[in-house]
Amino acid sequence: VGKGTFIGTRPVEELSTIAAVAGQTNPSEVMRARLLIEPLLTGEAALQATTEDIEEMHRCLSGARRAESWRQYENWDNRLHRAVAEAARNVVLLSLFDSLNAIRRTVVWGRLRDQPAQPPTDHHSFGDHEAIVAAIEERDVEEATRAMRRHLTKVEQRLLLRREAA
């Protein structure tokens, strides 16, 4: 009080809604955040996953391969990433993942695909996802972390290439 009016960026506390955060970010920032959080969650999943968690991950892998549209594929992809986050067995990290995922879905990504109506049988994420789940199933924390980091790095690179081409 009495020090006047200050102009600057809004503190994070004021960004209480997903929409508010999404309105101030971009796909590149979202990918960087994913690269910081999801590999760590995957390492935790390698330590904590139950048999049921791993079975759910395999259902997601199978569903993604059977997807008849990009929308179906993206639903299975999202479900797999959440299954990994749930398998970490950490409510705080799961909450962070859910917030980040909600922001990711809210950010306008644009129509990034000029591909066929469904993922091709050799879509890069299929192998990436299988490597992630295999490392979790083998309880290999380091490889699980690396596999998720490799996957998200590829996604980030493809996203940035498409944005530059647009």
Side-chain angles (χ1 to χ4, degrees), residues 80-121:
L80 173 65
H81 283 263
R82 187 157 201 294
V84 170
E86 288 174 350
R89 297 281 179 265
N90 184 310
V91 171
V92 175
L93 290 174
L94 181 59
S95 177
L96 289 170
F97 171 84
D98 284 341
S99 295
L100 178 57
N101 202 34
I103 292 165
R104 178 185 64 80
R105 288 191 319 265
T106 304
V107 170
V108 178
W109 293 79
R111 198 70 209 136
L112 299 176
R113 288 194 183 84
D114 54 357
Q115 301 169 343
Q118 67 189 63
T121 56

Side-chain angles (χ1 to χ4, degrees), residues 21 39 65 76 89 93 104 111 115 123 136 159-160:
V21 174
R65 281 207 179 264
W76 283 111
R89 297 281 179 265
L93 290 174
R104 178 185 64 80
R111 198 70 209 136
Q115 301 169 343
H123 183 51
I136 291 170
L159 172 69
L160 294 176

